[in-house]
Each structure stands twice: as C-alpha cells, then as structure tokens.
Amino acid sequence: MTHVSERSGAGTSPTGAGGDRQPWTAGTSRATRKRSVSYADAGVSIEAGDRAVELLKSKVKQTRRPEVMGDLGGFAGLFRLDTTKYKNPILASSTDGVGTKLVIAQQMDIHDTVGIDLVAMVVDDLVACGAEPLFLLDYIATGEVVPDKVAEIGAGIADGCRYAGCALLGGETAEHPGVLRPDEYDISATGVGVVEESEILSPERVEVGDVVIAMRSSGLHSNGYSLVRHVLLGVARMRLDVVIEDFGRQRTLGEELLTPTKIYAQDCLKLIAEAEVRALAHVTGGGIPGNLVRILPEHVDAVVNRSTWKPQPIFDLIQSKGRIEDPEMEATFNMGVGMFAIVSAEDADRALATLTGRGVDAWQAGEIIEGSGNVQMIGQHTRG
C-alpha cells in the first residue's frame, strides 16, 4: 500500500509541528469557547495509516521484482518493462475483489488469508489469456484503520503476490468513518501482466479432439459466499466455530470457509512453456459451465465428465443444508475445479506430468467435440 487516502500535506497540521497555523477565534476572550477541529475528530487517523504502511514494508519488499523502480511512498508505482524479451508485447489487466467472503473473515477476526484470495482472483484471470502477472495494486477501505489489522490484510496480499510471482507495486488504504463500521472493510486489486501477441490464448486455438484437463480447487475459493452464508449461517443456523467431522483434522466450519483460493498463475505459465495449451478457463462466479463456455469457439462443445472427480465435502454440506438443486450448485460454485486447461491430445500426458510435478492435483476431465459452443456436463460425481 502506497499511502493513506487524503493524507495531510507537510505544514498543514492545525496545531502540530511542521506548521504554524493556529485555530481561528474572533478574539482572545472567546478562545476557551471554541477549540480546533482535527481530521481525527472526523474519524480519520493519518498516524494509524502511516503505522500500517510501516508494518507492511518488509512484506511488500519480498514481492519486489527487478523491474520495480523506487520504493513505497511515491505518488505512483514505477515498473520498467523489459521490451527486449518480446517482439510485440501486449499488456493485460484485471481487477477484482473478494466479495462477501470478507464477512466471514470479519466475524472470525482472521484477516491474513483474504489477501491471498484477492491476488488469486486477479492473477488467475490474467494468466487465462497467457499473460505473466507483473504487478498488482491494492485498495483497502475500512471504517477505522487499525494498523495491525491492515498489516494482516496486506501481509496476505503480499504472500499472494509472492506465490504468483508478481510485485505488489503500491495501493491505497482509505478510512471511511460513517460509511463503514469500525470493524468493516472491503478490498480490491488491479493487476497488470504481459504476453507476446502471437502467444495469446483464445477460443480460436481450440480444436476438435483437444483434451480438457481439470485442476483441483482448494475449496469454495471466493465465489458464492452470499448463498453460503444464507444457507449455513441463516437457514441451518450453524456456528463458525463448530467442528465438522467430514472436513478432517478437527477443522471448524469457519476455517473451511476461509481456506485461501488456490493461485494457479505460475503453474499455468510453466504448463504453457511445456505443452501445447490452447486455452485456460479460470472457474469463478458462474461455475464450470459459465466459465468454460467463455473459451469455446462456436463450432465445438466441451464435454466434462463429473465422474472423474469428487468435490470437497463443503459442497455436499451446502447442498444438503440448503436443498439446492444440482444446476444451481454448478452455476454458483466451482464444485472442486478451479482452473481448466484445454491442450492438444498429443500433449495431454506431458501436461498432466508437468502439473503433477508442480504439486497440482490435475486429471483429464473431458474432451472437445464438434458442437455449437456449449458445455456438456455428463456423468455423476463420486459421493461418500
């Protein structure tokens, strides 16, 4: 984070050091009847924001790339693009947030994982077109800047950037008293990546006979949490601190719901380098059908066989407690798959070996056939 919004300039403090402004009064006899009003009186603490930035600096430095110029605290982040690496470099950008998963984090007072979710939502969209994530800018809005809490959020963002291989170039921490409660916050980020023009992944590359490879999600990721909260915390009246036996390792509901989103960026870049990747689909809101369809040309269909994997127990819990129909589940949640890669049939084994070698749980989930640009979901998931 670069700075706190509406930072006071040097020498403009009403009474502090560095300036000689004094509270205005009509005369000395009325001085005791009117005192100076500060920004802190309105609920904004510049000092708390500065402290939060200081707590984050060491974490942010761990995300530094050689192309980064300068240090935190400037008005803009500077990044020197190495144009010698590309013939025709194309910049890619993506922006996103975490949504109502933040409500769970705030209820549990755990804030060091949602930053990873934030980075994942941005960089895995970037890599879907073949772009290498270069840097990310974050935005945190909160009712009250509590330095330690902001530092926890920022530390998660920095961790996510390290996992993705991109620099946390800067950002903004904004204090919004009267708009957000003191314990409330929202976060968003924008990322920028680069890809060689001739290597952009797109639907035009997808051919009949290609193989659909699935990469397992870490759970719910960051989508569908309004439905999750309605079903589990509302209808079923479950508590976040209750231990769910099916989750294993004495894991509570709240811990499961805060499982960070898997970041696939570096795995996908390695996959692109090692195999003939036609397209990538990041499975977010809209589920498998709603995202896989975005990378299909009009003359083919993707056939995905549900029997090739078993969704995590959290999906069964949500569906059973909410009595949710299968189509609604698949239109809302990733159902255990966070990313799809469409690869040539000849490179399918190599692609799977590459992902497995990187510790990614991946498998062949389907194929590309002649069609009209649709996703066909067949078979049934393994249960129990």
Side-chain angles (χ1 to χ4, degrees), residues 1 48-49 52-53 55-56 111 140 142 144-157 172-173 185:
M1 278 138 280
V53 173
L55 291 173
L56 275 171
H111 313 286
I140 302 174
T142 181
E144 178 183 353
V145 171
V146 178
D148 289 341
K149 181 188 292 186
V150 172
E152 286 184 50
I153 300 168
I157 297 172
E172 173 80 344
T173 301
Y185 60 84

Side-chain angles (χ1 to χ4, degrees), residues 30 34 42 52 74 130 133 150 230 294-295 303 318 336 340 347 380:
R30 298 182 60 188
K34 186 172 184 178
V150 172
H230 172 71
R294 297 164 66 179
I295 59 171
V303 179
I318 294 166
F340 281 104
D347 274 7
Q380 297 298 322

Side-chain angles (χ1 to χ4, degrees), residues 6 35-46 142-145 175-180 182:
E6 299 184 77
R35 71 176 182 87
S36 170
V37 176
S38 69
Y39 210 175
D41 291 327
V44 178
S45 172
I46 299 297
T142 181
E144 178 183 353
V145 171
E175 197 164 25
H176 291 168
V179 178
L180 297 170

Side-chain angles (χ1 to χ4, degrees), residues 152-325:
E152 286 184 50
I153 300 168
I157 297 172
D159 286 341
C161 286
R162 286 194 298 107
Y163 304 153
C166 66
L168 180 52
L169 196 58
E172 173 80 344
T173 301
E175 197 164 25
H176 291 168
V179 178
L180 297 170
R181 294 196 308 266
D183 61 336
E184 285 183 326
Y185 60 84
D186 195 9
I187 58 178
S188 64
T190 296
V192 173
V194 63
V195 58
E196 183 68 56
E197 185 173 12
S198 62
E199 297 176 5
I200 296 174
L201 302 182
S202 67
E204 289 71 28
R205 291 174 173 254
V206 178
E207 301 176 0
V208 173
D210 287 344
V211 170
V212 179
I213 290 178
M215 300 176 222
R216 184 170 292 278
S217 69
S218 56
L220 290 170
H221 283 185
S222 299
N223 298 104
Y225 273 77
S226 292
L227 180 56
V228 170
R229 292 186 300 110
H230 172 71
V231 169
L232 300 185
L233 306 184
V235 175
R237 298 184 179 276
M238 297 182 69
R239 291 172 39 146
L240 293 173
D241 59 357
V242 66
V243 173
I244 307 296
E245 185 176 344
D246 288 345
F247 295 163
R249 296 175 300 167
Q250 293 294 302
R251 191 170 173 83
T252 67
L253 174 62
E255 289 169 339
E256 177 66 28
L257 296 182
L258 285 186
T259 301
T261 304
K262 168 73 174 171
I263 295 177
Y264 302 93
Q266 290 298 308
D267 302 316
C268 288
L269 290 174
K270 183 65 173 178
L271 180 63
I272 291 168
E274 296 292 331
E276 182 64 33
V277 178
R278 312 288 201 195
L280 293 168
H282 184 201
V283 183
T284 54
I288 292 172
N291 286 282
L292 195 51
V293 73
R294 297 164 66 179
I295 59 171
L296 298 179
E298 293 183 355
H299 65 282
V300 306
D301 281 1
V303 179
V304 176
N305 192 337
R306 302 182 186 93
S307 68
T308 60
W309 82 95
K310 178 182 177 181
Q312 292 91 336
I314 184 64
F315 298 104
D316 284 337
L317 180 66
I318 294 166
Q319 185 166 18
S320 62
K321 293 293 186 182
R323 300 180 181 178
I324 303 172
E325 299 291 336

